[in-house]
């Protein structure tokens, strides 16, 4: 099992056309500014303890992102170590997503 880093276009296609879990591993103030529609906020520091609340099946694809890709890389490796088998990271994070012109939402949890 290995962490796959995928482009914003591929990330968008996959989350739109599959039954997946999308996890934002940033902090609440960052989420409030902008996030991907349908994502669930689980800060990286809480991921190990909270992931099973949102994704109980380790076979279900999990897509993670952060602002630039550093935290989501750590999150992806953590999820693999917890037994999740299909983990994908947004290459370049939300910054690259926005630069590619994909939509975001803003607002509180």
């Amino acid at each position: 099992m290995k962490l796959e880093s995928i482009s914003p276009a591929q990330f968008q296609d996959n989350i739109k056309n599959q039954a997946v879990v999308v996890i934002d591993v940033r902090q609440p103030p960052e989420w409030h500014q902008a996030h991907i529609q349908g994502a669930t906020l689980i800060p990286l520091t809480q991921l190990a303890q909270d992931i099973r609340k949102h994704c109980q099946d380790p076979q279900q694809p999990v897509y993670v992102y952060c602002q630039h890709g550093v935290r989501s890389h750590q999150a992806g490796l953590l999820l693999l170590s917890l037994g999740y088998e299909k983990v994908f990271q947004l290459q370049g994070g939300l910054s690259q997503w926005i630069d590619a012109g994909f939509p975001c939402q803003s607002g509180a949890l």
Side-chain angles (χ1 to χ4, degrees), residues 20-25 39-65 74-88:
V20 302
V21 175
V22 181
I23 305 293
D24 183 328
V25 297
T40 299
L41 176 65
I42 308 176
L44 180 58
T45 56
Q46 297 172 254
L47 186 61
Q49 65 217 34
D50 290 351
I51 185 61
R52 299 252 186 249
K53 295 176 191 172
H54 303 281
C55 184
Q56 296 176 356
D57 181 1
Q59 297 289 327
Q60 186 171 15
V62 180
Y63 289 75
V64 294
Y65 72 92
Q74 295 171 338
L77 295 176
L78 175 62
L79 290 169
L80 290 171
S81 76
L82 292 172
Y84 289 87
E85 297 180 11
K86 301 171 187 168
V87 182
F88 303 89

mmCIF file of all heavy atoms in Angstrom, residues 20-25 39-65 74-88:
data_model
loop_
_atom_site.group_PDB
_atom_site.id
_atom_site.type_symbol
_atom_site.label_atom_id
_atom_site.label_comp_id
_atom_site.label_asym_id
_atom_site.label_seq_id
_atom_site.Cartn_x
_atom_site.Cartn_y
_atom_site.Cartn_z
ATOM 1 N N VAL A 20 -16.829 8.091 -1.744
ATOM 2 C CA VAL A 20 -15.553 8.269 -1.050
ATOM 3 C C VAL A 20 -15.749 9.123 0.200
ATOM 4 O O VAL A 20 -16.781 9.775 0.370
ATOM 5 C CB VAL A 20 -14.492 8.935 -1.962
ATOM 6 C CG1 VAL A 20 -14.263 8.118 -3.215
ATOM 7 C CG2 VAL A 20 -14.876 10.359 -2.320
ATOM 8 N N VAL A 21 -14.735 9.126 1.051
ATOM 9 C CA VAL A 21 -14.689 10.007 2.207
ATOM 10 C C VAL A 21 -13.618 11.048 1.914
ATOM 11 O O VAL A 21 -12.495 10.696 1.535
ATOM 12 C CB VAL A 21 -14.339 9.213 3.487
ATOM 13 C CG1 VAL A 21 -14.162 10.142 4.666
ATOM 14 C CG2 VAL A 21 -15.416 8.176 3.767
ATOM 15 N N VAL A 22 -13.966 12.327 2.064
ATOM 16 C CA VAL A 22 -13.015 13.414 1.842
ATOM 17 C C VAL A 22 -12.744 14.074 3.186
ATOM 18 O O VAL A 22 -13.671 14.542 3.850
ATOM 19 C CB VAL A 22 -13.559 14.453 0.830
ATOM 20 C CG1 VAL A 22 -12.535 15.557 0.602
ATOM 21 C CG2 VAL A 22 -13.942 13.776 -0.476
ATOM 22 N N ILE A 23 -11.477 14.102 3.581
ATOM 23 C CA ILE A 23 -11.080 14.625 4.881
ATOM 24 C C ILE A 23 -10.175 15.839 4.702
ATOM 25 O O ILE A 23 -9.163 15.781 3.999
ATOM 26 C CB ILE A 23 -10.320 13.559 5.706
ATOM 27 C CG1 ILE A 23 -11.126 12.277 5.846
ATOM 28 C CG2 ILE A 23 -9.895 14.123 7.058
ATOM 29 C CD1 ILE A 23 -12.376 12.394 6.662
ATOM 30 N N ASP A 24 -10.548 16.932 5.343
ATOM 31 C CA ASP A 24 -9.735 18.146 5.421
ATOM 32 C C ASP A 24 -9.001 18.073 6.758
ATOM 33 O O ASP A 24 -9.635 18.038 7.811
ATOM 34 C CB ASP A 24 -10.658 19.360 5.363
ATOM 35 C CG ASP A 24 -9.925 20.695 5.370
ATOM 36 O OD1 ASP A 24 -8.844 20.793 5.984
ATOM 37 O OD2 ASP A 24 -10.465 21.649 4.784
ATOM 38 N N VAL A 25 -7.669 18.038 6.726
ATOM 39 C CA VAL A 25 -6.901 17.860 7.963
ATOM 40 C C VAL A 25 -6.349 19.177 8.513
ATOM 41 O O VAL A 25 -5.481 19.184 9.368
ATOM 42 C CB VAL A 25 -5.758 16.820 7.793
ATOM 43 C CG1 VAL A 25 -6.337 15.453 7.485
ATOM 44 C CG2 VAL A 25 -4.759 17.250 6.728
ATOM 45 N N ALA A 39 -16.467 17.770 2.098
ATOM 46 C CA ALA A 39 -15.365 17.331 2.960
ATOM 47 C C ALA A 39 -15.783 17.372 4.426
ATOM 48 O O ALA A 39 -16.679 18.113 4.815
ATOM 49 C CB ALA A 39 -14.142 18.214 2.751
ATOM 50 N N THR A 40 -15.098 16.574 5.218
ATOM 51 C CA THR A 40 -15.270 16.549 6.666
ATOM 52 C C THR A 40 -13.996 17.070 7.301
ATOM 53 O O THR A 40 -12.901 16.646 6.917
ATOM 54 C CB THR A 40 -15.528 15.111 7.155
ATOM 55 O OG1 THR A 40 -16.726 14.627 6.542
ATOM 56 C CG2 THR A 40 -15.665 15.050 8.665
ATOM 57 N N LEU A 41 -14.128 17.978 8.237
ATOM 58 C CA LEU A 41 -12.957 18.509 8.940
ATOM 59 C C LEU A 41 -12.566 17.567 10.068
ATOM 60 O O LEU A 41 -13.360 17.311 10.981
ATOM 61 C CB LEU A 41 -13.248 19.902 9.504
ATOM 62 C CG LEU A 41 -12.129 20.513 10.341
ATOM 63 C CD1 LEU A 41 -10.893 20.776 9.487
ATOM 64 C CD2 LEU A 41 -12.595 21.787 11.008
ATOM 65 N N ILE A 42 -11.349 17.048 9.977
ATOM 66 C CA ILE A 42 -10.733 16.305 11.081
ATOM 67 C C ILE A 42 -9.279 16.783 11.140
ATOM 68 O O ILE A 42 -8.451 16.341 10.339
ATOM 69 C CB ILE A 42 -10.759 14.777 10.897
ATOM 70 C CG1 ILE A 42 -12.152 14.258 10.595
ATOM 71 C CG2 ILE A 42 -10.194 14.095 12.159
ATOM 72 C CD1 ILE A 42 -12.202 12.756 10.311
ATOM 73 N N PRO A 43 -8.964 17.728 12.005
ATOM 74 C CA PRO A 43 -7.578 18.208 12.082
ATOM 75 C C PRO A 43 -6.594 17.049 12.244
ATOM 76 O O PRO A 43 -6.922 16.031 12.888
ATOM 77 C CB PRO A 43 -7.586 19.122 13.302
ATOM 78 C CG PRO A 43 -9.008 19.605 13.383
ATOM 79 C CD PRO A 43 -9.835 18.414 12.956
ATOM 80 N N LEU A 44 -5.435 17.195 11.665
ATOM 81 C CA LEU A 44 -4.420 16.149 11.688
ATOM 82 C C LEU A 44 -4.183 15.617 13.097
ATOM 83 O O LEU A 44 -4.049 14.403 13.291
ATOM 84 C CB LEU A 44 -3.116 16.675 11.082
ATOM 85 C CG LEU A 44 -1.945 15.695 11.040
ATOM 86 C CD1 LEU A 44 -2.294 14.439 10.254
ATOM 87 C CD2 LEU A 44 -0.718 16.375 10.462
ATOM 88 N N THR A 45 -4.178 16.504 14.085
ATOM 89 C CA THR A 45 -3.920 16.093 15.469
ATOM 90 C C THR A 45 -5.014 15.190 16.036
ATOM 91 O O THR A 45 -4.802 14.516 17.031
ATOM 92 C CB THR A 45 -3.760 17.320 16.382
ATOM 93 O OG1 THR A 45 -4.926 18.136 16.250
ATOM 94 C CG2 THR A 45 -2.526 18.129 16.018
ATOM 95 N N GLN A 46 -6.192 15.159 15.416
ATOM 96 C CA GLN A 46 -7.315 14.343 15.899
ATOM 97 C C GLN A 46 -7.626 13.167 14.980
ATOM 98 O O GLN A 46 -8.521 12.377 15.268
ATOM 99 C CB GLN A 46 -8.565 15.216 16.031
ATOM 100 C CG GLN A 46 -8.432 16.329 17.042
ATOM 101 C CD GLN A 46 -9.636 17.259 16.968
ATOM 102 O OE1 GLN A 46 -9.539 18.367 16.472
ATOM 103 N NE2 GLN A 46 -10.764 16.780 17.447
ATOM 104 N N LEU A 47 -6.898 13.060 13.881
ATOM 105 C CA LEU A 47 -7.249 12.092 12.843
ATOM 106 C C LEU A 47 -7.262 10.650 13.354
ATOM 107 O O LEU A 47 -8.221 9.914 13.107
ATOM 108 C CB LEU A 47 -6.294 12.234 11.651
ATOM 109 C CG LEU A 47 -6.622 11.391 10.430
ATOM 110 C CD1 LEU A 47 -7.987 11.753 9.862
ATOM 111 C CD2 LEU A 47 -5.544 11.568 9.371
ATOM 112 N N ALA A 48 -6.227 10.237 14.057
ATOM 113 C CA ALA A 48 -6.145 8.842 14.509
ATOM 114 C C ALA A 48 -7.328 8.466 15.392
ATOM 115 O O ALA A 48 -7.877 7.367 15.275
ATOM 116 C CB ALA A 48 -4.824 8.602 15.246
ATOM 117 N N GLN A 49 -7.752 9.381 16.261
ATOM 118 C CA GLN A 49 -8.855 9.047 17.166
ATOM 119 C C GLN A 49 -10.231 9.237 16.542
ATOM 120 O O GLN A 49 -11.195 8.611 16.980
ATOM 121 C CB GLN A 49 -8.751 9.839 18.471
ATOM 122 C CG GLN A 49 -8.910 11.334 18.291
ATOM 123 C CD GLN A 49 -8.025 12.147 19.201
ATOM 124 O OE1 GLN A 49 -6.915 11.746 19.516
ATOM 125 N NE2 GLN A 49 -8.505 13.303 19.618
ATOM 126 N N ASP A 50 -10.357 10.073 15.508
ATOM 127 C CA ASP A 50 -11.682 10.393 14.964
ATOM 128 C C ASP A 50 -12.022 9.752 13.622
ATOM 129 O O ASP A 50 -13.185 9.770 13.212
ATOM 130 C CB ASP A 50 -11.839 11.909 14.826
ATOM 131 C CG ASP A 50 -11.953 12.604 16.168
ATOM 132 O OD1 ASP A 50 -12.087 11.904 17.198
ATOM 133 O OD2 ASP A 50 -11.906 13.847 16.195
ATOM 134 N N ILE A 51 -11.056 9.184 12.918
ATOM 135 C CA ILE A 51 -11.329 8.703 11.559
ATOM 136 C C ILE A 51 -12.409 7.622 11.524
ATOM 137 O O ILE A 51 -13.251 7.609 10.643
ATOM 138 C CB ILE A 51 -10.034 8.216 10.849
ATOM 139 C CG1 ILE A 51 -10.318 7.845 9.392
ATOM 140 C CG2 ILE A 51 -9.402 7.053 11.594
ATOM 141 C CD1 ILE A 51 -10.844 8.966 8.517
ATOM 142 N N ARG A 52 -12.443 6.736 12.487
ATOM 143 C CA ARG A 52 -13.417 5.638 12.466
ATOM 144 C C ARG A 52 -14.858 6.132 12.621
ATOM 145 O O ARG A 52 -15.793 5.441 12.225
ATOM 146 C CB ARG A 52 -13.097 4.606 13.541
ATOM 147 C CG ARG A 52 -11.735 3.969 13.351
ATOM 148 C CD ARG A 52 -11.816 2.535 12.875
ATOM 149 N NE ARG A 52 -10.477 1.938 12.852
ATOM 150 C CZ ARG A 52 -9.851 1.625 11.726
ATOM 151 N NH1 ARG A 52 -10.407 1.830 10.567
ATOM 152 N NH2 ARG A 52 -8.648 1.087 11.767
ATOM 153 N N LYS A 53 -15.040 7.338 13.163
ATOM 154 C CA LYS A 53 -16.387 7.916 13.256
ATOM 155 C C LYS A 53 -16.930 8.249 11.868
ATOM 156 O O LYS A 53 -18.134 8.309 11.654
ATOM 157 C CB LYS A 53 -16.372 9.200 14.088
ATOM 158 C CG LYS A 53 -16.009 9.002 15.538
ATOM 159 C CD LYS A 53 -15.920 10.350 16.228
ATOM 160 C CE LYS A 53 -15.312 10.226 17.610
ATOM 161 N NZ LYS A 53 -15.049 11.537 18.219
ATOM 162 N N HIS A 54 -16.022 8.510 10.938
ATOM 163 C CA HIS A 54 -16.414 8.976 9.606
ATOM 164 C C HIS A 54 -16.179 7.947 8.507
ATOM 165 O O HIS A 54 -16.748 8.063 7.426
ATOM 166 C CB HIS A 54 -15.672 10.267 9.271
ATOM 167 C CG HIS A 54 -15.915 11.333 10.279
ATOM 168 N ND1 HIS A 54 -17.062 12.098 10.309
ATOM 169 C CD2 HIS A 54 -15.182 11.740 11.345
ATOM 170 C CE1 HIS A 54 -17.012 12.940 11.332
ATOM 171 N NE2 HIS A 54 -15.875 12.739 11.977
ATOM 172 N N CYS A 55 -15.307 6.985 8.790
ATOM 173 C CA CYS A 55 -15.003 5.954 7.795
ATOM 174 C C CYS A 55 -14.628 4.676 8.521
ATOM 175 O O CYS A 55 -13.487 4.511 8.943
ATOM 176 C CB CYS A 55 -13.880 6.408 6.872
ATOM 177 S SG CYS A 55 -13.540 5.229 5.541
ATOM 178 N N GLN A 56 -15.592 3.783 8.650
ATOM 179 C CA GLN A 56 -15.350 2.536 9.376
ATOM 180 C C GLN A 56 -14.784 1.435 8.484
ATOM 181 O O GLN A 56 -14.172 0.505 8.974
ATOM 182 C CB GLN A 56 -16.648 2.058 10.026
ATOM 183 C CG GLN A 56 -17.149 3.028 11.063
ATOM 184 C CD GLN A 56 -18.492 2.606 11.649
ATOM 185 O OE1 GLN A 56 -19.094 1.637 11.233
ATOM 186 N NE2 GLN A 56 -18.947 3.364 12.632
ATOM 187 N N ASP A 57 -14.993 1.546 7.181
ATOM 188 C CA ASP A 57 -14.553 0.514 6.244
ATOM 189 C C ASP A 57 -13.168 0.855 5.694
ATOM 190 O O ASP A 57 -13.017 1.804 4.923
ATOM 191 C CB ASP A 57 -15.558 0.413 5.099
ATOM 192 C CG ASP A 57 -15.193 -0.647 4.078
ATOM 193 O OD1 ASP A 57 -14.170 -1.343 4.249
ATOM 194 O OD2 ASP A 57 -15.934 -0.773 3.085
ATOM 195 N N PRO A 58 -12.139 0.084 6.043
ATOM 196 C CA PRO A 58 -10.791 0.385 5.544
ATOM 197 C C PRO A 58 -10.636 0.170 4.039
ATOM 198 O O PRO A 58 -9.627 0.560 3.455
ATOM 199 C CB PRO A 58 -9.887 -0.566 6.341
ATOM 200 C CG PRO A 58 -10.772 -1.619 6.868
ATOM 201 C CD PRO A 58 -12.146 -1.051 6.961
ATOM 202 N N GLN A 59 -11.656 -0.416 3.401
ATOM 203 C CA GLN A 59 -11.630 -0.599 1.945
ATOM 204 C C GLN A 59 -12.166 0.629 1.201
ATOM 205 O O GLN A 59 -11.960 0.765 0.002
ATOM 206 C CB GLN A 59 -12.473 -1.820 1.561
ATOM 207 C CG GLN A 59 -11.957 -3.118 2.113
ATOM 208 C CD GLN A 59 -10.680 -3.564 1.433
ATOM 209 O OE1 GLN A 59 -10.493 -3.318 0.257
ATOM 210 N NE2 GLN A 59 -9.801 -4.198 2.182
ATOM 211 N N GLN A 60 -12.899 1.491 1.909
ATOM 212 C CA GLN A 60 -13.480 2.660 1.251
ATOM 213 C C GLN A 60 -12.375 3.674 0.935
ATOM 214 O O GLN A 60 -11.523 3.955 1.767
ATOM 215 C CB GLN A 60 -14.533 3.314 2.135
ATOM 216 C CG GLN A 60 -15.257 4.441 1.429
ATOM 217 C CD GLN A 60 -16.449 4.958 2.211
ATOM 218 O OE1 GLN A 60 -16.600 4.679 3.391
ATOM 219 N NE2 GLN A 60 -17.285 5.716 1.544
ATOM 220 N N PRO A 61 -12.389 4.232 -0.269
ATOM 221 C CA PRO A 61 -11.372 5.227 -0.603
ATOM 222 C C PRO A 61 -11.478 6.469 0.295
ATOM 223 O O PRO A 61 -12.574 6.957 0.567
ATOM 224 C CB PRO A 61 -11.691 5.596 -2.052
ATOM 225 C CG PRO A 61 -12.468 4.430 -2.587
ATOM 226 C CD PRO A 61 -13.243 3.907 -1.412
ATOM 227 N N VAL A 62 -10.332 6.950 0.745
ATOM 228 C CA VAL A 62 -10.255 8.145 1.581
ATOM 229 C C VAL A 62 -9.364 9.154 0.868
ATOM 230 O O VAL A 62 -8.236 8.844 0.477
ATOM 231 C CB VAL A 62 -9.686 7.838 2.982
ATOM 232 C CG1 VAL A 62 -9.613 9.110 3.820
ATOM 233 C CG2 VAL A 62 -10.522 6.783 3.691
ATOM 234 N N TYR A 63 -9.887 10.355 0.706
ATOM 235 C CA TYR A 63 -9.164 11.447 0.053
ATOM 236 C C TYR A 63 -8.868 12.505 1.102
ATOM 237 O O TYR A 63 -9.777 12.934 1.808
ATOM 238 C CB TYR A 63 -10.011 12.037 -1.083
ATOM 239 C CG TYR A 63 -10.107 11.097 -2.260
ATOM 240 C CD1 TYR A 63 -10.911 9.968 -2.215
ATOM 241 C CD2 TYR A 63 -9.365 11.329 -3.407
ATOM 242 C CE1 TYR A 63 -10.979 9.091 -3.281
ATOM 243 C CE2 TYR A 63 -9.424 10.456 -4.487
ATOM 244 C CZ TYR A 63 -10.229 9.339 -4.418
ATOM 245 O OH TYR A 63 -10.280 8.475 -5.483
ATOM 246 N N VAL A 64 -7.601 12.901 1.213
ATOM 247 C CA VAL A 64 -7.203 13.874 2.228
ATOM 248 C C VAL A 64 -6.576 15.097 1.567
ATOM 249 O O VAL A 64 -5.950 14.998 0.513
ATOM 250 C CB VAL A 64 -6.222 13.276 3.264
ATOM 251 C CG1 VAL A 64 -6.905 12.196 4.088
ATOM 252 C CG2 VAL A 64 -4.967 12.727 2.613
ATOM 253 N N TYR A 65 -6.779 16.234 2.219
ATOM 254 C CA TYR A 65 -6.113 17.447 1.748
ATOM 255 C C TYR A 65 -5.867 18.383 2.920
ATOM 256 O O TYR A 65 -6.481 18.270 3.983
ATOM 257 C CB TYR A 65 -6.917 18.147 0.645
ATOM 258 C CG TYR A 65 -8.178 18.837 1.093
ATOM 259 C CD1 TYR A 65 -8.163 20.189 1.445
ATOM 260 C CD2 TYR A 65 -9.384 18.155 1.171
ATOM 261 C CE1 TYR A 65 -9.327 20.832 1.861
ATOM 262 C CE2 TYR A 65 -10.544 18.780 1.572
ATOM 263 C CZ TYR A 65 -10.505 20.124 1.916
ATOM 264 O OH TYR A 65 -11.653 20.757 2.328
ATOM 265 N N GLN A 74 1.265 13.603 5.731
ATOM 266 C CA GLN A 74 1.355 12.956 7.042
ATOM 267 C C GLN A 74 0.068 12.192 7.344
ATOM 268 O O GLN A 74 0.101 11.069 7.849
ATOM 269 C CB GLN A 74 1.609 13.994 8.133
ATOM 270 C CG GLN A 74 2.946 14.684 8.022
ATOM 271 C CD GLN A 74 3.065 15.867 8.988
ATOM 272 O OE1 GLN A 74 2.067 16.424 9.444
ATOM 273 N NE2 GLN A 74 4.301 16.238 9.284
ATOM 274 N N ALA A 75 -1.072 12.802 7.038
ATOM 275 C CA ALA A 75 -2.370 12.167 7.285
ATOM 276 C C ALA A 75 -2.514 10.890 6.465
ATOM 277 O O ALA A 75 -2.995 9.871 6.963
ATOM 278 C CB ALA A 75 -3.500 13.138 6.948
ATOM 279 N N GLY A 76 -2.114 10.955 5.219
ATOM 280 C CA GLY A 76 -2.203 9.778 4.361
ATOM 281 C C GLY A 76 -1.374 8.620 4.878
ATOM 282 O O GLY A 76 -1.834 7.476 4.909
ATOM 283 N N LEU A 77 -0.146 8.906 5.303
ATOM 284 C CA LEU A 77 0.708 7.860 5.856
ATOM 285 C C LEU A 77 0.104 7.291 7.138
ATOM 286 O O LEU A 77 0.142 6.076 7.374
ATOM 287 C CB LEU A 77 2.119 8.398 6.113
ATOM 288 C CG LEU A 77 2.904 8.818 4.860
ATOM 289 C CD1 LEU A 77 4.237 9.414 5.261
ATOM 290 C CD2 LEU A 77 3.079 7.661 3.889
ATOM 291 N N LEU A 78 -0.486 8.152 7.951
ATOM 292 C CA LEU A 78 -1.140 7.715 9.182
ATOM 293 C C LEU A 78 -2.313 6.788 8.864
ATOM 294 O O LEU A 78 -2.465 5.724 9.469
ATOM 295 C CB LEU A 78 -1.619 8.920 9.993
ATOM 296 C CG LEU A 78 -2.439 8.609 11.248
ATOM 297 C CD1 LEU A 78 -1.625 7.816 12.260
ATOM 298 C CD2 LEU A 78 -2.951 9.900 11.869
ATOM 299 N N LEU A 79 -3.131 7.175 7.892
ATOM 300 C CA LEU A 79 -4.282 6.346 7.524
ATOM 301 C C LEU A 79 -3.836 4.984 7.001
ATOM 302 O O LEU A 79 -4.441 3.959 7.335
ATOM 303 C CB LEU A 79 -5.140 7.068 6.489
ATOM 304 C CG LEU A 79 -5.901 8.284 7.017
ATOM 305 C CD1 LEU A 79 -6.507 9.075 5.869
ATOM 306 C CD2 LEU A 79 -6.968 7.871 8.018
ATOM 307 N N LEU A 80 -2.774 4.955 6.204
ATOM 308 C CA LEU A 80 -2.249 3.678 5.733
ATOM 309 C C LEU A 80 -1.796 2.815 6.907
ATOM 310 O O LEU A 80 -2.062 1.615 6.948
ATOM 311 C CB LEU A 80 -1.093 3.902 4.749
ATOM 312 C CG LEU A 80 -1.481 4.475 3.387
ATOM 313 C CD1 LEU A 80 -0.240 4.864 2.600
ATOM 314 C CD2 LEU A 80 -2.337 3.497 2.596
ATOM 315 N N SER A 81 -1.141 3.445 7.886
ATOM 316 C CA SER A 81 -0.666 2.692 9.056
ATOM 317 C C SER A 81 -1.827 2.172 9.907
ATOM 318 O O SER A 81 -1.671 1.195 10.638
ATOM 319 C CB SER A 81 0.278 3.538 9.911
ATOM 320 O OG SER A 81 -0.438 4.494 10.668
ATOM 321 N N LEU A 82 -2.998 2.828 9.801
ATOM 322 C CA LEU A 82 -4.185 2.402 10.543
ATOM 323 C C LEU A 82 -4.988 1.331 9.789
ATOM 324 O O LEU A 82 -6.030 0.903 10.255
ATOM 325 C CB LEU A 82 -5.087 3.607 10.837
ATOM 326 C CG LEU A 82 -4.533 4.633 11.821
ATOM 327 C CD1 LEU A 82 -5.426 5.864 11.879
ATOM 328 C CD2 LEU A 82 -4.353 4.018 13.208
ATOM 329 N N GLY A 83 -4.501 0.954 8.614
ATOM 330 C CA GLY A 83 -5.148 -0.113 7.864
ATOM 331 C C GLY A 83 -6.002 0.316 6.695
ATOM 332 O O GLY A 83 -6.588 -0.531 6.013
ATOM 333 N N TYR A 84 -6.112 1.604 6.442
ATOM 334 C CA TYR A 84 -6.860 2.062 5.271
ATOM 335 C C TYR A 84 -6.028 1.751 4.030
ATOM 336 O O TYR A 84 -4.828 1.984 4.000
ATOM 337 C CB TYR A 84 -7.191 3.559 5.387
ATOM 338 C CG TYR A 84 -8.241 3.799 6.440
ATOM 339 C CD1 TYR A 84 -7.890 3.978 7.776
ATOM 340 C CD2 TYR A 84 -9.587 3.780 6.118
ATOM 341 C CE1 TYR A 84 -8.850 4.146 8.759
ATOM 342 C CE2 TYR A 84 -10.559 3.946 7.096
ATOM 343 C CZ TYR A 84 -10.185 4.127 8.409
ATOM 344 O OH TYR A 84 -11.149 4.289 9.368
ATOM 345 N N GLU A 85 -6.687 1.196 3.020
ATOM 346 C CA GLU A 85 -5.944 0.668 1.883
ATOM 347 C C GLU A 85 -5.957 1.562 0.653
ATOM 348 O O GLU A 85 -5.089 1.432 -0.202
ATOM 349 C CB GLU A 85 -6.481 -0.714 1.525
ATOM 350 C CG GLU A 85 -6.278 -1.702 2.669
ATOM 351 C CD GLU A 85 -6.807 -3.085 2.350
ATOM 352 O OE1 GLU A 85 -7.144 -3.350 1.185
ATOM 353 O OE2 GLU A 85 -6.877 -3.896 3.289
ATOM 354 N N LYS A 86 -6.934 2.441 0.546
ATOM 355 C CA LYS A 86 -7.064 3.302 -0.638
ATOM 356 C C LYS A 86 -7.050 4.747 -0.174
ATOM 357 O O LYS A 86 -8.095 5.341 0.090
ATOM 358 C CB LYS A 86 -8.347 2.970 -1.390
ATOM 359 C CG LYS A 86 -8.415 1.537 -1.860
ATOM 360 C CD LYS A 86 -9.785 1.213 -2.404
ATOM 361 C CE LYS A 86 -9.884 -0.275 -2.716
ATOM 362 N NZ LYS A 86 -11.264 -0.673 -2.974
ATOM 363 N N VAL A 87 -5.859 5.313 -0.062
ATOM 364 C CA VAL A 87 -5.706 6.667 0.461
ATOM 365 C C VAL A 87 -5.075 7.536 -0.626
ATOM 366 O O VAL A 87 -4.054 7.166 -1.219
ATOM 367 C CB VAL A 87 -4.822 6.678 1.733
ATOM 368 C CG1 VAL A 87 -4.719 8.088 2.289
ATOM 369 C CG2 VAL A 87 -5.393 5.728 2.787
ATOM 370 N N PHE A 88 -5.695 8.686 -0.866
ATOM 371 C CA PHE A 88 -5.253 9.598 -1.911
ATOM 372 C C PHE A 88 -5.086 10.997 -1.323
ATOM 373 O O PHE A 88 -5.931 11.458 -0.561
ATOM 374 C CB PHE A 88 -6.279 9.647 -3.056
ATOM 375 C CG PHE A 88 -6.550 8.295 -3.646
ATOM 376 C CD1 PHE A 88 -7.554 7.487 -3.125
ATOM 377 C CD2 PHE A 88 -5.800 7.823 -4.699
ATOM 378 C CE1 PHE A 88 -7.812 6.231 -3.650
ATOM 379 C CE2 PHE A 88 -6.042 6.564 -5.238
ATOM 380 C CZ PHE A 88 -7.056 5.766 -4.709
#
